[in-house]
Amino acid sequence: MCGITGWVSFHQDLRPGAPVIEAMTSTLALRGPDAGGVWLGAHAALGHRRLSVLDLAGGAQPMTDRPDRPDRAQVVLTYSGEVYNHHQLRARLSQRGHHFATRSDTEVVLRAYQEWGDALVDHLEGMYAFAIWDERAERLLLVRDRLGVKPLFWAEVDGGLVFGSEPKALFAHPEVTPTVDADGLREAYSLLFSTGPTVWSGVRELHPGGLLVLDRGGRHERDYWALAAHPHTDDLDTTTERIRALVDRAARSQLESDVPLCSLLSGGLDSTVVTALVADELRLTEGAGARLRSYAVDYSDQAERFTGDVLRTGHDTPFATEAGAFIGSDHSTVVLDPLALLDIEHRRAVVASRDSPIGVGDMDTSLYLLFGEIREHSTVALSGEAADEVFGGYPWFHSPKALAARTFPWLLVTGDEAAMPLHPELARTLRIGEYREDTYRAALGAVPHLDDETPEEHRQREMQHLSLTRWLRQLLHRKDRLSMAQGLEVRVPYCDHRLVEYAFNTPWAMKSHDGREKSLLRAVGRGIAPDSVLWRPKNHYPATHHPAYNSGLQALARDALDAPHVRDIADETVIGTALDTPADQLQWGHRLRLERVVDLALWLDHHRPALNL
């Protein structure tokens, strides 16, 4: 995994622009701690930071079609991610006369472009974001993977555009200033997780499954992939076997690595299935004695103080330990001190990695610290992210209230008490309620349907589409930013697009055939996961329940309210209620409000954006 950036302008010669592209590239050093490089041409400059995972000796970037004479290159690539079918593509391209100098999947992408042009996107399987500059046509191609696992942002500049894995790379360009207006804050605090506009004025995110072309004729964007509705003709037994094969293939195909690899094992169904399949593949390829490392996270007070809430029904660690023993993984639990989550430098690092004021406070900080501990031993980790969206695991798929509500379902779970309380004057300007209603109608209009769907099937298709195209995207952003800030690559097998396509078109009656959530994934897990995990209710990422954390958070929030511009955005009266609540009585929603105020202050301090409200 890596960080990419670049600059194209048809109004000036960029060859003297080395200081600019080097500055842009250096902002991504945490994403690629192993190496960096830049390439400059008359109208394009590309940068790359590398986290070495495959072909450690080869695969340096930006990669050109003329490694012997990069100054005469016709095609230049800067690439982030993993193409899991690169061996198959290499064989096909070799048969077509292409020669390879490295073992890297990067070179496969380069040669695939030479063979198929923009149509290379139809051949790739994996998670990726990349840019190709075609010197012959003076043409830039930007591409992002189908589910949006890897991020890619861009902004207009004189005569062209700049792009990068993170907005911070764009801000290193002299023409791009971090600016926030009402539209950006509306987008951020509505919690609708749209793709395209961002919190930053003028900065856009390339759509998942999208590509952008820039040449002298202008800029053109299109989606090369999107969820589509198709009739499902398989019976339940055939469907179960097909799901099992797709999950199995996705997990096993993502094991390749030239550096240490592990699995994130929370003790839930999703991560246990992935860990079991990958552990089995490791034994098949490396011998019966091979053991996969697996990791869980816990807090030093959790066993004593765990308290259930709207998102959590039980303590993870006993289930994760049992699952690790059942699978035979080399399992470890990273135990965090709850008070370490209050460390202001940790929180600054988290906010800086996100480039956004929107996060989940202690859960982001603990994930960041977990990834830091894992990085001491592994460079690649596999995750169970996306299984709830693919198989219908969230409460809103099963709640009559959520199914009947005409709004985004996660807003019913988090509720307004967990939203940022906005200054009354700003709230009147943003009109978030109206924005949510308008966006919801537009989002439903984008859902593909079949003509003969029952009302139940129609609604469940809407819920799954909203979950896959909005809710999942913020989870993938969170995992990408916090893992890459620690130089850790996280792979997500449940985002395999063939699995997603098939499951999206599987009838709801099959997805819930045993009367529970994720029925099809549970069927996959039989025999490879312990029964206690198979039938365990959905549990979200753990949070600390220590009263000393709550009181420390209140202190941070009091300081945050005094930071510049915070009172212009946040409603100090509403925040004051949470500040005055006894620490041992602070409820989850009110605590999240305090987390958001602290994050807002740190974000404003780090980026110092121009505010045009």
Side-chain angles (χ1 to χ4, degrees), residues 28 34 53 107 149 207 215 245 249 252 295 298 337 400 437 441 450 491 496 523 561 572 584 599 610:
L28 303 173
D34 296 328
V53 172
E107 189 176 5
V149 181
H207 281 228
D215 57 24
R249 183 181 187 276
R252 294 176 191 270
Y295 293 92
D298 202 356
D337 179 352
E437 292 175 4
R441 285 192 293 269
L450 298 176
R491 301 175 181 176
D496 181 282
L561 279 176
E572 62 178 306
D584 60 353
D599 284 355

PDB file of all heavy atoms in Angstrom, residues 28 34 53 107 149 207 215 245 249 252 295 298 337 400 437 441 450 491 496 523 561 572 584 599 610:
ATOM      1  N   LEU A  28       2.663  12.426   2.330  1.00  0.00           N
ATOM      2  CA  LEU A  28       2.144  11.061   2.363  1.00  0.00           C
ATOM      3  C   LEU A  28       3.185  10.066   2.882  1.00  0.00           C
ATOM      4  O   LEU A  28       3.038   8.855   2.702  1.00  0.00           O
ATOM      5  CB  LEU A  28       1.685  10.645   0.962  1.00  0.00           C
ATOM      6  CG  LEU A  28       0.636  11.564   0.323  1.00  0.00           C
ATOM      7  CD1 LEU A  28       0.386  11.159  -1.121  1.00  0.00           C
ATOM      8  CD2 LEU A  28      -0.656  11.548   1.120  1.00  0.00           C
ATOM      9  N   ASP A  34       8.691   3.360   3.257  1.00  0.00           N
ATOM     10  CA  ASP A  34       9.860   2.606   2.786  1.00  0.00           C
ATOM     11  C   ASP A  34      10.635   3.288   1.670  1.00  0.00           C
ATOM     12  O   ASP A  34      11.842   3.085   1.537  1.00  0.00           O
ATOM     13  CB  ASP A  34       9.428   1.217   2.313  1.00  0.00           C
ATOM     14  CG  ASP A  34       8.861   0.372   3.456  1.00  0.00           C
ATOM     15  OD1 ASP A  34       9.323   0.560   4.597  1.00  0.00           O
ATOM     16  OD2 ASP A  34       7.964  -0.439   3.203  1.00  0.00           O
ATOM     17  N   VAL A  53       5.344  -4.231  -0.074  1.00  0.00           N
ATOM     18  CA  VAL A  53       4.593  -5.425   0.291  1.00  0.00           C
ATOM     19  C   VAL A  53       4.913  -6.581  -0.649  1.00  0.00           C
ATOM     20  O   VAL A  53       5.120  -7.709  -0.218  1.00  0.00           O
ATOM     21  CB  VAL A  53       3.071  -5.134   0.304  1.00  0.00           C
ATOM     22  CG1 VAL A  53       2.266  -6.415   0.489  1.00  0.00           C
ATOM     23  CG2 VAL A  53       2.730  -4.135   1.400  1.00  0.00           C
ATOM     24  N   GLU A 107       3.690  -3.273 -12.136  1.00  0.00           N
ATOM     25  CA  GLU A 107       4.048  -3.397 -13.551  1.00  0.00           C
ATOM     26  C   GLU A 107       2.933  -4.052 -14.347  1.00  0.00           C
ATOM     27  O   GLU A 107       2.733  -3.732 -15.526  1.00  0.00           O
ATOM     28  CB  GLU A 107       5.343  -4.191 -13.708  1.00  0.00           C
ATOM     29  CG  GLU A 107       5.861  -4.161 -15.135  1.00  0.00           C
ATOM     30  CD  GLU A 107       7.189  -4.863 -15.317  1.00  0.00           C
ATOM     31  OE1 GLU A 107       7.694  -5.481 -14.351  1.00  0.00           O
ATOM     32  OE2 GLU A 107       7.737  -4.800 -16.439  1.00  0.00           O
ATOM     33  N   VAL A 149     -12.209   1.168  -1.546  1.00  0.00           N
ATOM     34  CA  VAL A 149     -11.333   0.822  -0.419  1.00  0.00           C
ATOM     35  C   VAL A 149     -10.170   1.806  -0.327  1.00  0.00           C
ATOM     36  O   VAL A 149      -9.788   2.244   0.757  1.00  0.00           O
ATOM     37  CB  VAL A 149     -10.808  -0.622  -0.562  1.00  0.00           C
ATOM     38  CG1 VAL A 149      -9.924  -0.989   0.629  1.00  0.00           C
ATOM     39  CG2 VAL A 149     -11.968  -1.605  -0.697  1.00  0.00           C
ATOM     40  N   HIS A 207     -15.275   8.996  -7.368  1.00  0.00           N
ATOM     41  CA  HIS A 207     -16.256   7.985  -6.994  1.00  0.00           C
ATOM     42  C   HIS A 207     -15.634   6.601  -6.959  1.00  0.00           C
ATOM     43  O   HIS A 207     -14.810   6.260  -7.817  1.00  0.00           O
ATOM     44  CB  HIS A 207     -17.400   7.968  -7.997  1.00  0.00           C
ATOM     45  CG  HIS A 207     -18.386   9.056  -7.803  1.00  0.00           C
ATOM     46  ND1 HIS A 207     -19.735   8.859  -7.775  1.00  0.00           N
ATOM     47  CD2 HIS A 207     -18.223  10.385  -7.599  1.00  0.00           C
ATOM     48  CE1 HIS A 207     -20.368   9.997  -7.588  1.00  0.00           C
ATOM     49  NE2 HIS A 207     -19.455  10.944  -7.481  1.00  0.00           N
ATOM     50  N   ASP A 215      -7.458  15.780 -20.468  1.00  0.00           N
ATOM     51  CA  ASP A 215      -6.567  16.044 -21.596  1.00  0.00           C
ATOM     52  C   ASP A 215      -6.816  17.469 -22.065  1.00  0.00           C
ATOM     53  O   ASP A 215      -7.526  18.236 -21.406  1.00  0.00           O
ATOM     54  CB  ASP A 215      -6.766  15.018 -22.714  1.00  0.00           C
ATOM     55  CG  ASP A 215      -8.205  14.953 -23.218  1.00  0.00           C
ATOM     56  OD1 ASP A 215      -8.941  15.953 -23.054  1.00  0.00           O
ATOM     57  OD2 ASP A 215      -8.595  13.919 -23.783  1.00  0.00           O
ATOM     58  N   ALA A 245     -18.154 -20.279  -1.804  1.00  0.00           N
ATOM     59  CA  ALA A 245     -17.048 -20.262  -2.765  1.00  0.00           C
ATOM     60  C   ALA A 245     -16.510 -18.854  -2.970  1.00  0.00           C
ATOM     61  O   ALA A 245     -15.293 -18.647  -3.065  1.00  0.00           O
ATOM     62  CB  ALA A 245     -17.514 -20.846  -4.093  1.00  0.00           C
ATOM     63  N   ARG A 249     -12.780 -17.776  -1.926  1.00  0.00           N
ATOM     64  CA  ARG A 249     -11.850 -17.282  -2.953  1.00  0.00           C
ATOM     65  C   ARG A 249     -11.330 -15.900  -2.606  1.00  0.00           C
ATOM     66  O   ARG A 249     -10.137 -15.606  -2.762  1.00  0.00           O
ATOM     67  CB  ARG A 249     -12.547 -17.252  -4.309  1.00  0.00           C
ATOM     68  CG  ARG A 249     -11.654 -16.834  -5.470  1.00  0.00           C
ATOM     69  CD  ARG A 249     -12.459 -16.819  -6.771  1.00  0.00           C
ATOM     70  NE  ARG A 249     -11.618 -16.588  -7.933  1.00  0.00           N
ATOM     71  CZ  ARG A 249     -11.230 -15.383  -8.364  1.00  0.00           C
ATOM     72  NH1 ARG A 249     -11.610 -14.304  -7.692  1.00  0.00           N
ATOM     73  NH2 ARG A 249     -10.469 -15.257  -9.440  1.00  0.00           N
ATOM     74  N   ARG A 252      -8.761 -16.198   0.435  1.00  0.00           N
ATOM     75  CA  ARG A 252      -7.513 -16.879   0.095  1.00  0.00           C
ATOM     76  C   ARG A 252      -6.693 -16.099  -0.933  1.00  0.00           C
ATOM     77  O   ARG A 252      -5.468 -16.146  -0.912  1.00  0.00           O
ATOM     78  CB  ARG A 252      -7.815 -18.292  -0.404  1.00  0.00           C
ATOM     79  CG  ARG A 252      -8.411 -19.205   0.656  1.00  0.00           C
ATOM     80  CD  ARG A 252      -8.782 -20.571   0.101  1.00  0.00           C
ATOM     81  NE  ARG A 252      -9.574 -21.347   1.039  1.00  0.00           N
ATOM     82  CZ  ARG A 252      -9.066 -22.176   1.969  1.00  0.00           C
ATOM     83  NH1 ARG A 252      -7.757 -22.328   2.069  1.00  0.00           N
ATOM     84  NH2 ARG A 252      -9.861 -22.842   2.780  1.00  0.00           N
ATOM     85  N   TYR A 295      -5.010 -10.701  15.906  1.00  0.00           N
ATOM     86  CA  TYR A 295      -4.997  -9.675  16.949  1.00  0.00           C
ATOM     87  C   TYR A 295      -6.410  -9.208  17.265  1.00  0.00           C
ATOM     88  O   TYR A 295      -7.260  -9.055  16.378  1.00  0.00           O
ATOM     89  CB  TYR A 295      -4.177  -8.461  16.502  1.00  0.00           C
ATOM     90  CG  TYR A 295      -2.707  -8.736  16.363  1.00  0.00           C
ATOM     91  CD1 TYR A 295      -2.165  -9.147  15.146  1.00  0.00           C
ATOM     92  CD2 TYR A 295      -1.845  -8.600  17.455  1.00  0.00           C
ATOM     93  CE1 TYR A 295      -0.817  -9.390  15.011  1.00  0.00           C
ATOM     94  CE2 TYR A 295      -0.486  -8.845  17.322  1.00  0.00           C
ATOM     95  CZ  TYR A 295       0.023  -9.251  16.111  1.00  0.00           C
ATOM     96  OH  TYR A 295       1.360  -9.503  15.971  1.00  0.00           O
ATOM     97  N   ASP A 298      -8.512  -4.733  23.404  1.00  0.00           N
ATOM     98  CA  ASP A 298      -9.309  -4.670  24.631  1.00  0.00           C
ATOM     99  C   ASP A 298      -8.793  -3.520  25.478  1.00  0.00           C
ATOM    100  O   ASP A 298      -7.744  -2.930  25.174  1.00  0.00           O
ATOM    101  CB  ASP A 298      -9.224  -5.990  25.400  1.00  0.00           C
ATOM    102  CG  ASP A 298     -10.397  -6.197  26.356  1.00  0.00           C
ATOM    103  OD1 ASP A 298     -11.242  -5.280  26.472  1.00  0.00           O
ATOM    104  OD2 ASP A 298     -10.457  -7.260  26.997  1.00  0.00           O
ATOM    105  N   ASP A 337      -4.588   0.988  27.832  1.00  0.00           N
ATOM    106  CA  ASP A 337      -4.977   1.764  29.003  1.00  0.00           C
ATOM    107  C   ASP A 337      -5.995   2.802  28.551  1.00  0.00           C
ATOM    108  O   ASP A 337      -5.701   3.610  27.659  1.00  0.00           O
ATOM    109  CB  ASP A 337      -3.740   2.438  29.592  1.00  0.00           C
ATOM    110  CG  ASP A 337      -4.053   3.300  30.819  1.00  0.00           C
ATOM    111  OD1 ASP A 337      -5.246   3.501  31.129  1.00  0.00           O
ATOM    112  OD2 ASP A 337      -3.100   3.792  31.443  1.00  0.00           O
ATOM    113  N   PRO A 400     -38.429  -3.072  12.355  1.00  0.00           N
ATOM    114  CA  PRO A 400     -39.593  -2.504  11.660  1.00  0.00           C
ATOM    115  C   PRO A 400     -39.588  -0.976  11.661  1.00  0.00           C
ATOM    116  O   PRO A 400     -39.980  -0.354  10.668  1.00  0.00           O
ATOM    117  CB  PRO A 400     -40.779  -3.066  12.443  1.00  0.00           C
ATOM    118  CG  PRO A 400     -40.258  -4.336  13.046  1.00  0.00           C
ATOM    119  CD  PRO A 400     -38.828  -4.051  13.379  1.00  0.00           C
ATOM    120  N   GLU A 437     -33.254  15.274   3.875  1.00  0.00           N
ATOM    121  CA  GLU A 437     -34.448  14.840   3.151  1.00  0.00           C
ATOM    122  C   GLU A 437     -34.203  14.839   1.648  1.00  0.00           C
ATOM    123  O   GLU A 437     -34.561  13.869   0.956  1.00  0.00           O
ATOM    124  CB  GLU A 437     -35.620  15.768   3.491  1.00  0.00           C
ATOM    125  CG  GLU A 437     -36.105  15.644   4.932  1.00  0.00           C
ATOM    126  CD  GLU A 437     -37.180  16.668   5.254  1.00  0.00           C
ATOM    127  OE1 GLU A 437     -37.583  17.417   4.336  1.00  0.00           O
ATOM    128  OE2 GLU A 437     -37.619  16.723   6.427  1.00  0.00           O
ATOM    129  N   ARG A 441     -33.980  11.361  -0.801  1.00  0.00           N
ATOM    130  CA  ARG A 441     -34.786  11.123  -2.002  1.00  0.00           C
ATOM    131  C   ARG A 441     -33.891  10.817  -3.205  1.00  0.00           C
ATOM    132  O   ARG A 441     -34.174   9.913  -4.000  1.00  0.00           O
ATOM    133  CB  ARG A 441     -35.678  12.329  -2.286  1.00  0.00           C
ATOM    134  CG  ARG A 441     -36.879  12.445  -1.362  1.00  0.00           C
ATOM    135  CD  ARG A 441     -37.861  13.479  -1.880  1.00  0.00           C
ATOM    136  NE  ARG A 441     -37.294  14.828  -1.822  1.00  0.00           N
ATOM    137  CZ  ARG A 441     -37.431  15.639  -0.780  1.00  0.00           C
ATOM    138  NH1 ARG A 441     -38.092  15.228   0.305  1.00  0.00           N
ATOM    139  NH2 ARG A 441     -36.900  16.854  -0.801  1.00  0.00           N
ATOM    140  N   LEU A 450     -35.768  -4.452  -9.615  1.00  0.00           N
ATOM    141  CA  LEU A 450     -36.412  -5.320 -10.587  1.00  0.00           C
ATOM    142  C   LEU A 450     -37.905  -5.020 -10.609  1.00  0.00           C
ATOM    143  O   LEU A 450     -38.478  -4.608  -9.593  1.00  0.00           O
ATOM    144  CB  LEU A 450     -36.180  -6.794 -10.228  1.00  0.00           C
ATOM    145  CG  LEU A 450     -34.722  -7.268 -10.214  1.00  0.00           C
ATOM    146  CD1 LEU A 450     -34.645  -8.711  -9.736  1.00  0.00           C
ATOM    147  CD2 LEU A 450     -34.105  -7.136 -11.601  1.00  0.00           C
ATOM    148  N   ARG A 491      -6.422  -5.266   4.323  1.00  0.00           N
ATOM    149  CA  ARG A 491      -7.177  -5.810   3.204  1.00  0.00           C
ATOM    150  C   ARG A 491      -8.570  -6.227   3.666  1.00  0.00           C
ATOM    151  O   ARG A 491      -8.743  -6.642   4.811  1.00  0.00           O
ATOM    152  CB  ARG A 491      -6.433  -7.002   2.587  1.00  0.00           C
ATOM    153  CG  ARG A 491      -5.048  -6.632   2.085  1.00  0.00           C
ATOM    154  CD  ARG A 491      -4.267  -7.851   1.583  1.00  0.00           C
ATOM    155  NE  ARG A 491      -2.937  -7.473   1.127  1.00  0.00           N
ATOM    156  CZ  ARG A 491      -2.005  -8.337   0.716  1.00  0.00           C
ATOM    157  NH1 ARG A 491      -2.279  -9.644   0.715  1.00  0.00           N
ATOM    158  NH2 ARG A 491      -0.821  -7.903   0.315  1.00  0.00           N
ATOM    159  N   ASP A 496     -14.758  -7.813  -2.058  1.00  0.00           N
ATOM    160  CA  ASP A 496     -14.602  -8.417  -3.381  1.00  0.00           C
ATOM    161  C   ASP A 496     -15.859  -8.120  -4.190  1.00  0.00           C
ATOM    162  O   ASP A 496     -16.979  -8.464  -3.776  1.00  0.00           O
ATOM    163  CB  ASP A 496     -14.403  -9.928  -3.237  1.00  0.00           C
ATOM    164  CG  ASP A 496     -14.201 -10.627  -4.563  1.00  0.00           C
ATOM    165  OD1 ASP A 496     -15.212 -10.845  -5.266  1.00  0.00           O
ATOM    166  OD2 ASP A 496     -13.054 -10.948  -4.891  1.00  0.00           O
ATOM    167  N   ALA A 523     -23.804 -19.722   7.565  1.00  0.00           N
ATOM    168  CA  ALA A 523     -23.693 -21.028   6.921  1.00  0.00           C
ATOM    169  C   ALA A 523     -22.257 -21.291   6.452  1.00  0.00           C
ATOM    170  O   ALA A 523     -21.748 -22.408   6.568  1.00  0.00           O
ATOM    171  CB  ALA A 523     -24.661 -21.118   5.740  1.00  0.00           C
ATOM    172  N   LEU A 561     -13.651  24.039  23.730  1.00  0.00           N
ATOM    173  CA  LEU A 561     -14.606  25.130  23.551  1.00  0.00           C
ATOM    174  C   LEU A 561     -13.922  26.491  23.540  1.00  0.00           C
ATOM    175  O   LEU A 561     -14.441  27.445  22.947  1.00  0.00           O
ATOM    176  CB  LEU A 561     -15.668  25.096  24.651  1.00  0.00           C
ATOM    177  CG  LEU A 561     -16.820  24.112  24.448  1.00  0.00           C
ATOM    178  CD1 LEU A 561     -17.730  24.129  25.666  1.00  0.00           C
ATOM    179  CD2 LEU A 561     -17.604  24.444  23.189  1.00  0.00           C
ATOM    180  N   GLU A 572     -22.415  25.767  22.458  1.00  0.00           N
ATOM    181  CA  GLU A 572     -21.808  25.566  23.769  1.00  0.00           C
ATOM    182  C   GLU A 572     -22.845  25.268  24.842  1.00  0.00           C
ATOM    183  O   GLU A 572     -22.537  24.628  25.854  1.00  0.00           O
ATOM    184  CB  GLU A 572     -20.972  26.787  24.170  1.00  0.00           C
ATOM    185  CG  GLU A 572     -21.737  28.079  24.305  1.00  0.00           C
ATOM    186  CD  GLU A 572     -20.831  29.214  24.749  1.00  0.00           C
ATOM    187  OE1 GLU A 572     -20.157  29.057  25.779  1.00  0.00           O
ATOM    188  OE2 GLU A 572     -20.785  30.230  24.038  1.00  0.00           O
ATOM    189  N   ASP A 584     -19.572   9.387  35.717  1.00  0.00           N
ATOM    190  CA  ASP A 584     -20.014   7.993  35.740  1.00  0.00           C
ATOM    191  C   ASP A 584     -21.440   7.827  35.228  1.00  0.00           C
ATOM    192  O   ASP A 584     -21.956   6.710  35.155  1.00  0.00           O
ATOM    193  CB  ASP A 584     -19.882   7.405  37.137  1.00  0.00           C
ATOM    194  CG  ASP A 584     -20.702   8.153  38.181  1.00  0.00           C
ATOM    195  OD1 ASP A 584     -21.269   9.221  37.849  1.00  0.00           O
ATOM    196  OD2 ASP A 584     -20.763   7.692  39.332  1.00  0.00           O
ATOM    197  N   ASP A 599     -12.447  16.788  18.601  1.00  0.00           N
ATOM    198  CA  ASP A 599     -11.915  16.578  17.253  1.00  0.00           C
ATOM    199  C   ASP A 599     -12.000  17.849  16.411  1.00  0.00           C
ATOM    200  O   ASP A 599     -11.095  18.148  15.619  1.00  0.00           O
ATOM    201  CB  ASP A 599     -12.680  15.452  16.553  1.00  0.00           C
ATOM    202  CG  ASP A 599     -12.275  14.082  17.044  1.00  0.00           C
ATOM    203  OD1 ASP A 599     -11.334  13.986  17.851  1.00  0.00           O
ATOM    204  OD2 ASP A 599     -12.896  13.084  16.614  1.00  0.00           O
ATOM    205  N   ALA A 610      -9.286  28.380   6.132  1.00  0.00           N
ATOM    206  CA  ALA A 610     -10.049  29.612   5.975  1.00  0.00           C
ATOM    207  C   ALA A 610     -11.524  29.240   6.066  1.00  0.00           C
ATOM    208  O   ALA A 610     -11.988  28.322   5.383  1.00  0.00           O
ATOM    209  CB  ALA A 610      -9.740  30.247   4.625  1.00  0.00           C
TER     210      ALA A 610
END
